[in-house]
């Protein structure tokens, strides 16, 4: 598989969190990872983008670790980012966001990033 540039929205610095495990596993699989979260400069030795608007250049995959209440507030920023695809991890499903992504022609899937990586489906 080709290396992708992956933005992890809701990245945590706490190792037990799935969003942190995703950052580490994406990195281990050779992807370029952009953790996105306010208030931290570095997560897992990677520079953090405080918000989606701070990301410069294209993003192949945006993987979501924020719930529907939060993603609703970020919907415009997600659409403006124009990621190649969006992965909605368990607990982040959002009919409103999914409809907006459909309208913008951005593919999305309900999946677990960790499972996709482990099973060679990322």
């Amino acid at each position: 598989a080709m290396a992708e540039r992956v933005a992890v929205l809701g990245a945590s610095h706490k190792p037990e969190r799935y969003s942190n495990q995703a950052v580490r596993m994406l990195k281990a699989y050779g992807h370029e990872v952009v953790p996105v979260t306010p208030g931290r400069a570095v997560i897992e030795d990677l520079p953090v983008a405080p918000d989606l608007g701070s990301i410069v250049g294209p993003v192949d995959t945006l993987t979501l670790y924020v719930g529907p209440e939060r993603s609703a507030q970020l919907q415009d920023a997600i659409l403006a980012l124009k990621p190649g695809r969006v992965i909605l991890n368990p607990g982040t499903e959002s009919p409103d966001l999914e409809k907006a992504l459909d309208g913008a022609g951005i593919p999305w899937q309900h999946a677990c990033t960790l499972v996709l990586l482990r099973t060679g489906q990322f």
Side-chain angles (χ1 to χ4, degrees):
M2 294 285 292
E4 291 193 13
R5 187 162 190 240
V6 185
V8 181
L9 182 57
S12 173
H13 65 285
K14 298 177 178 167
E16 69 276 9
R17 293 278 174 86
Y18 286 123
S19 62
N20 180 281
Q21 292 173 33
V23 169
R24 282 183 283 142
M25 196 183 282
L26 284 161
K27 205 167 99 166
Y29 276 73
H31 296 290
E32 180 190 343
V33 188
V34 183
V36 185
T37 195
R40 296 233 156 227
V42 177
I43 290 177
E44 298 298 329
D45 300 325
L46 297 166
V48 173
D51 51 51
L52 292 170
S54 313
I55 300 175
V56 178
V59 168
D60 298 303
T61 297
L62 172 64
T63 181
L64 251 54
Y65 287 94
V66 294
E69 314 75 27
R70 188 82 189 97
S71 67
Q73 300 165 348
L74 300 171
Q75 184 170 299
D76 291 345
I78 290 169
L79 297 180
L81 185 69
K82 295 190 178 70
R85 65 167 168 168
V86 174
I87 297 173
L88 295 119
N89 292 280
T92 70
E93 299 88 353
S94 163
D96 290 342
L97 176 58
E98 290 152 25
K99 206 159 108 184
L101 290 167
D102 284 340
I106 298 169
W108 56 269
Q109 63 191 121
H110 291 157
C112 170
T113 298
L114 302 174
V115 172
L116 291 177
L117 286 165
R118 284 194 193 112
T119 55
Q121 299 181 81
F122 188 82

